[in-house]
Amino acid sequence: MPEKILIVEDETALRETLAYTLEREGFAVRAVADGLKALDAAAAQNPDLILLDLMLPGLDGFEVCRRLRDRMNIPILMLTARESEIDRVVGLEMGADDYIIKPFHMRELVARIKAQLRRVRLIREEKVAPPPEEATPEEPILSGDLSINLARSEVLRSGVPLPLKPKEYELLVYFARHRGQALSREQILQRVWGWEYTGDSRTVDVHVRWLREKIEPDPARPLRLVTVRGAGYRFEG
Ligand code: CA
């Protein structure tokens, strides 16, 4: 069955080009022109990925992203004409998985879409069949006062649910599965974000900072999620 992509873009010409290109790539495509229709279509179509323009009439892309995130955990790729870091960070905080700045090459967009879908498939497969040396989905990963319940995608800290955003959760699981190993920003970007191009590694730094605020006794002096100079980060447990 073809994977389903929902396109949300108010510029008619771009919307039609996107739909045409992605259909030709073998995806089942639905395209809408505003934020409210996007929410309806997402509920009706249950897409595998959403391509979401930032500047939309009515509800803007940030708001659509925030509302979608409350209901579904699927890749959201934002299309944006803006380039300032604040937009990028706010977008990631709202739960977007990746960004592409207009104007872009269709070939790059298709590559990023495929990378996101591949990442999701990988996570799904790992949930079904974890490598033998790792915890099965039923057994929580225990680390200090943290208990990561993979089956329920929930983390408890000293028995209390820890409110993590989807990317913070995925990042923590990735670290916990590679406890004691130095992980480079590139490795992390590829595995957690599905970014295969030389992505902006500051995205990792921002999320590590958010995660530290939730798991470190003193986020300014991290002991659990430490920086490895010149290498990346290491989870000590
Ligand atoms: Ca627009």
Side-chain angles (χ1 to χ4, degrees):
M1 224 171 56
E3 284 167 303
K4 292 176 281 184
I5 295 182
L6 174 62
I7 298 168
V8 189
E9 170 60 68
D10 59 318
E11 289 167 48
T12 308
L14 180 55
R15 187 174 63 246
E16 286 172 358
T17 308
L18 287 168
Y20 173 76
T21 305
L22 295 177
E23 270 165 12
R24 223 178 36 176
E25 289 287 332
F27 296 108
V29 175
R30 172 125 189 240
V32 298
D34 70 61
L36 283 174
K37 285 199 190 99
L39 295 175
D40 290 343
Q45 185 203 20
N46 198 21
D48 295 292
L49 180 142
I50 298 178
L51 207 52
L52 179 62
D53 185 31
L54 178 61
M55 301 298 281
L56 292 167
L59 291 183
D60 70 14
F62 286 143
E63 184 57 22
V64 174
C65 188
R66 200 182 60 74
R67 294 199 196 179
L68 286 171
R69 265 294 166 254
D70 289 343
R71 317 201 295 231
M72 42 180 47
N73 188 18
I74 55 164
I76 297 177
L77 209 159
M78 273 209 177
L79 305 176
T80 169
R82 303 198 212 166
E83 210 171 348
S84 71
E85 181 177 36
I86 185 69
D87 290 333
R88 189 171 52 77
V89 171
V90 168
L92 293 171
E93 197 171 4
M94 292 292 167
D97 292 276
D98 199 359
Y99 258 76
I100 193 156
I101 311 280
K102 293 176 186 175
F104 49 82
H105 291 292
M106 282 295 162
R107 212 170 41 207
E108 192 190 349
L109 178 74
V110 169
R112 298 238 201 140
I113 287 173
K114 288 182 175 171
Q116 286 300 326
L117 292 171
R118 199 154 47 233
R119 180 181 63 83
V120 170
R121 274 199 300 272
L122 213 67
I123 290 171
R124 213 175 285 143
E125 281 162 18
E126 271 184 11
K127 277 191 176 162
V128 174
E133 75 274 15
E134 292 177 0
T136 64
E138 289 71 33
E139 289 171 12
I141 300 176
L142 302 175
S143 181
D145 58 359
L146 297 178
S147 167
I148 306 172
N149 186 323
L150 298 167
R152 297 175 56 180
S153 300
E154 183 184 63
V155 179
L156 302 179
R157 186 179 179 190
S158 303
V160 180
L162 199 58
L164 294 177
K165 298 190 184 78
K167 278 287 175 266
E168 293 169 349
Y169 171 78
E170 285 177 39
L171 190 60
L172 179 60
V173 170
Y174 183 54
F175 276 126
R177 283 183 156 160
H178 299 85
R179 204 179 315 194
Q181 285 177 36
L183 301 169
S184 71
R185 290 174 177 81
E186 289 69 30
Q187 275 176 299
I188 297 168
L189 277 175
Q190 190 171 348
R191 183 57 184 74
V192 177
W193 277 266
W195 293 0
E196 291 181 350
Y197 55 98
T198 315
D200 186 345
S201 61
R202 292 179 69 183
T203 299
V204 175
D205 300 336
V206 169
H207 281 78
V208 164
R209 200 167 70 225
W210 290 338
L211 201 50
R212 279 172 172 162
E213 279 164 15
K214 294 177 180 174
I215 67 167
E216 292 283 353
D218 178 3
R221 290 181 186 75
L223 299 170
R224 310 184 80 171
L225 188 41
V226 300
T227 303
V228 184
R229 203 166 291 276
Y233 295 102
R234 188 174 64 233
F235 186 59
E236 301 285 9

